[in-house]
Amino acid sequence: MSTAQAVSFNCTQCGAGLDALGGGRVQTHVCPYCGAELDAQDGYKVLARFRDMERPETPFDIGMTGTLWDVPFTVIGTIGWVEYHAGRKWEWVDHQLFSPTHGYGWLTVEDGHVSYARKSRRVPSPAGVSDYLIETSENRPRVKLDGQSFVYYGSGVAKPFFIEGEFNYRPTLEDTVRYVSLAGDGAMLDIVEGGGEREYELVQLPDQAALLTSFGVPKGRWPKPRGVHPLEPLRRSPLQLFARNLFLGASALTFVLALILSTFGQTVGRSDEVSVWWGAKVPFEITQGNRLTEIEIWGNADNSWAWFEAELLDEEDEPVAVFERGIEYYTGSDWSEGSQRVRTRLRLPPGRYSLEVGMTEAEVDWTGGNKTSRMRVSVTEGVVSTFWLWWTAVLLGLAGAVFLAHRVYHYSRLMSGSDWSDD
Amino acid sequence: MAARVVLVVLVAAIVGGATYAAMNGVWGESSQVISTRAGSPGGGFGVGGRGVK
């Protein structure tokens, strides 16, 4: 266990030997033996005496030293806090830290998580979040500090139940502190009000194992985290990130490929627009026998339907295939339904063909409609079935979206400990 | 590294398979078409590019 070099003195109340670890701005020193609060700025004169304090559970002892982001700190004080609300009780422990180069800070042990807080001299906008705003706001209140947004997480009123060690202010067991915690990206902002003052603290969550190891906390005393800390980072392996990028990239690539291939195809036969009484006859030649051939029939159906019969003949005028297809097209002032075109796909071996298409039935079954009177037929070879690619793009996109959903799920878990209610 | 290679091969196989199926019109024939050639089992055009009988 690491410990700091100290200046020693005797408690002016009980005579116990004490170490002064906290530098020149320490205001009070509470004796761990007798609970006397000593004035560190005035010859350790006794200011008050705290009795019958129940020691809180914490993995840190006064005098432990360690580093946070490569800055050496010493644990110089301990305050246990308690908050009661709606029949429930919350407890946490703050440890005042001192660094000869970086001044004072706090380690907070709550629900098995250890966070680090330091005072902020900058003032957020708005400067405070009132209880009235919390109660009446429809959405979580937000404040901004240095361009970063912090969203309401929790609030309450707490008081100390245990005080020991050195502090750069004068704590008492009679203190009450109102706090509002707001969560930001990688840091929380605590607005703390007490004794007529308002202070701002920025809270970060250091790497827990590195922190505890650095302060020399034996593994048997490591706290067991309960729940998720609101600053817990989303941990994903490099393989997960690689898979996410691969799936999303492949999805986008497949989407573009489908768009390009959907333009494939060569028109090999087309009729003029003719009267449906005559029908259409289209001779054509297929050269790409391994691809699909698409036959498109168009009719000028207008709030009506029509039925067509098609016969495909080879170059000996022998029938190869027949099919029947219908079109129906309806429109209103701001809507339309159906289509004036119908497409049929089939696979034809290379060769010369003749397609004969005629209308067999048509009817108007909507107000203001007109029977189909004109038609046109076209034949395209080398058509690509792009639905394979569309579905592949969707599936790969969904696979990538699972990782994005993981992020959303993680942030919803971070806020699960919040006392905010949308009601 | 091996896991990344497997993932890349898997995704490439999926996209390549889909492209092959799309280019060759697998399952792309319309079901309304009926082959009229003698000897046809009927039912139009099956999977695998058999074409019109």
Side-chain angles (χ1 to χ4, degrees):
Chain A
M1 187 180 302
S2 311
T3 51
Q5 296 296 316
V7 175
S8 297
F9 67 98
N10 293 325
C11 173
T12 53
Q13 174 70 28
C14 69
L18 302 175
D19 294 328
L21 306 165
R25 296 188 66 185
V26 166
Q27 296 290 314
T28 55
H29 193 136
V30 177
C31 175
Y33 299 99
C34 66
E37 186 175 36
L38 311 174
D39 189 342
Q41 300 290 322
D42 190 9
Y44 294 105
K45 192 167 68 182
V46 177
L47 298 170
R49 194 162 177 201
F50 306 137
R51 298 172 189 273
D52 302 324
M53 297 188 296
E54 187 183 345
R55 181 174 291 277
E57 264 191 48
T58 172
F60 298 99
D61 298 321
I62 289 173
M64 282 182 167
T65 61
T67 57
L68 282 160
W69 296 284
D70 296 327
V71 176
F73 281 98
T74 303
V75 178
I76 62 170
T78 302
I79 300 186
W81 292 93
V82 64
E83 178 185 348
Y84 295 94
H85 181 71
R88 291 184 62 195
K89 177 185 177 186
W90 291 266
E91 283 186 7
W92 65 94
V93 180
D94 280 348
H95 290 286
Q96 179 131 53
L97 301 177
F98 171 68
S99 162
T101 55
H102 287 67
Y104 297 91
W106 294 93
L107 276 185
T108 299
V109 184
E110 184 174 12
D111 291 332
H113 304 281
V114 185
S115 56
Y116 168 74
R118 61 185 165 84
K119 291 269 186 293
S120 168
R121 292 185 180 179
R122 298 180 302 281
V123 178
S125 175
V129 178
S130 67
D131 287 335
Y132 178 77
L133 180 66
I134 294 167
E135 291 300 322
T136 58
S137 182
E138 287 193 9
N139 299 308
R140 291 174 187 264
R142 288 175 179 270
V143 303
K144 278 204 158 190
L145 180 68
D146 292 340
Q148 188 182 351
S149 187
F150 293 86
V151 63
Y152 177 85
Y153 182 80
S155 60
V157 176
K159 62 186 285 112
F161 67 90
F162 179 87
I163 305 172
E164 178 184 289
E166 297 171 83
F167 302 95
N168 62 349
Y169 74 110
R170 186 184 169 191
T172 74
L173 290 176
E174 284 69 46
D175 289 343
T176 56
V177 167
R178 175 183 177 270
Y179 71 90
V180 178
S181 291
L182 303 111
D185 186 17
M188 294 188 79
L189 176 66
D190 283 354
I191 303 174
V192 183
E193 294 170 334
E197 290 184 339
R198 175 186 286 161
E199 293 183 317
Y200 304 99
E201 294 175 351
L202 283 168
V203 182
Q204 291 169 281
L205 188 71
D207 183 285
Q208 301 290 281
L211 168 74
L212 293 164
T213 304
S214 170
F215 276 83
V217 179
K219 283 229 168 175
R221 288 184 68 189
W222 283 25
K224 294 179 176 56
R226 292 183 297 278
V228 181
H229 191 278
L231 290 176
E232 201 159 290
L234 175 61
R235 290 191 175 85
R236 285 198 292 214
S237 70
L239 181 63
Q240 285 177 308
L241 290 172
F242 178 80
R244 181 199 66 183
N245 295 339
L246 179 68
F247 289 146
L248 292 178
S251 173
L253 182 74
T254 311
F255 184 81
V256 172
L257 191 62
L259 277 180
I260 293 170
L261 292 183
S262 67
T263 63
F264 275 36
Q266 184 182 359
T267 303
V268 292
R270 184 197 295 272
S271 75
D272 294 329
E273 186 180 317
V274 296
S275 166
V276 294
W277 302 113
W278 296 106
K281 185 170 183 177
V282 182
F284 62 92
E285 182 177 359
I286 295 297
T287 56
Q288 301 177 39
N290 58 333
R291 301 278 182 79
L292 291 177
T293 298
E294 182 177 273
I295 297 167
E296 181 186 283
I297 303 170
W298 170 86
N300 64 341
D302 175 19
N303 285 319
S304 62
W305 60 265
W307 197 252
F308 296 90
E309 194 173 275
E311 187 175 26
L312 190 62
L313 307 170
D314 64 14
E315 48 194 334
E316 279 87 39
D317 269 354
E318 290 294 324
V320 173
V322 293
F323 62 88
E324 294 183 4
R325 300 301 301 267
I327 58 170
E328 51 183 344
Y329 186 62
Y330 304 93
T331 57
S333 58
D334 57 353
W335 61 274
S336 69
E337 189 179 301
S339 172
Q340 292 178 317
R341 300 170 194 278
V342 63
R343 296 182 177 91
T344 304
R345 290 181 172 183
L346 66 167
R347 194 186 303 278
L348 294 172
R352 293 179 182 279
Y353 297 90
S354 177
L355 177 68
E356 294 179 7
V357 182
M359 190 177 81
T360 55
E361 270 186 282
E363 191 173 313
V364 174
D365 56 355
W366 196 261
T367 311
N370 292 301
K371 227 175 201 178
T372 302
S373 58
R374 310 286 294 173
M375 62 178 289
R376 188 174 58 229
V377 177
S378 66
V379 181
T380 306
E381 72 164 344
V383 172
V384 175
S385 291
T386 50
F387 75 90
W388 286 101
L389 294 164
W390 295 125
W391 277 108
T392 301
V394 168
L395 290 176
L396 288 171
L398 285 175
V402 168
F403 294 98
L404 300 179
H406 180 211
R407 174 181 286 272
V408 173
Y409 171 69
H410 174 76
Y411 283 112
S412 71
R413 281 182 74 219
L414 295 187
M415 299 303 275
S416 62
S418 168
D419 64 12
W420 177 260
S421 168
D422 285 324
D423 298 333
Chain B
M1 190 62 190
R4 292 184 184 209
V5 171
V6 169
L7 271 176
V8 170
V9 170
L10 182 69
V11 169
I14 291 170
V15 175
T19 306
Y20 177 84
M23 294 296 290
N24 289 284
V26 176
W27 293 355
E29 300 95 336
S30 302
S31 59
Q32 294 86 355
V33 181
I34 299 169
S35 169
T36 57
R37 281 289 167 88
S40 165
F45 306 85
V47 181
R50 289 174 300 170
V52 173
K53 296 247 179 184

